[in-house]
Amino acid sequence: MDRRATLKKHAGMFLLAVSVWLIWVMVGLECPILTLFHVPCPTCGFTRAWVLLFQGQWQASLQMHPMAVPLTLALVLAFHLKILPKKAKLPAWIFLAGVLTINLIVYILRLMG
């Protein structure tokens, strides 16, 4: 698959994900994991953190979910790993692994109260 086709595929997946998310938010549904299992998911508070960030309330955003910005960057990077130059792939993987590890630690700490 050439680079242009890969970019189109990733853009389509991103738009689909954003569309599903917008519908979910507009309908007013809660997190499906929280609804089904009564346990917050690792990204609970993520959307509210981004809304607060866009409103200029960065401290409140960090309190809502401290990993919202780094995890979003990691997810965007993960969708673009195939199109990165070879010498950028290892640092990208290290960044991804680091962000996911820190998010797991934050999640465990939040569950413990």
Side-chain angles (χ1 to χ4, degrees):
M1 188 178 285
D2 69 337
R3 193 176 187 130
R4 178 172 269 178
T6 302
L7 282 172
K8 284 183 180 180
K9 180 178 127 186
H10 288 163
M13 290 173 20
F14 176 76
L15 289 174
L16 177 64
V18 168
S19 300
V20 169
W21 173 77
L22 283 173
I23 291 168
W24 193 268
V25 170
M26 283 193 262
V27 172
L29 299 174
E30 286 187 349
C31 170
I33 294 174
L34 182 62
T35 303
L36 293 173
F37 303 111
H38 306 289
V39 175
C41 72
T43 58
C44 274
F46 201 81
T47 305
R48 289 171 283 167
W50 268 105
V51 169
L52 290 167
L53 189 65
F54 286 134
Q55 292 174 345
Q57 301 177 34
W58 61 272
Q59 290 175 325
S61 173
L62 285 173
Q63 288 176 344
M64 183 60 64
H65 198 296
M67 294 301 294
V69 174
L71 197 54
T72 301
L73 293 174
L75 291 172
V76 169
L77 184 62
F79 280 113
H80 294 87
L81 276 175
K82 286 186 178 182
I83 61 173
L84 286 176
K86 285 186 181 183
K87 60 183 171 181
K89 286 190 180 187
L90 181 60
W93 276 109
I94 292 170
F95 175 73
L96 285 171
V99 168
L100 292 174
T101 302
I102 293 169
N103 191 59
L104 180 63
I105 292 167
V106 167
Y107 176 61
I108 292 168
L109 292 173
R110 291 173 98 190
L111 283 177
M112 293 171 46

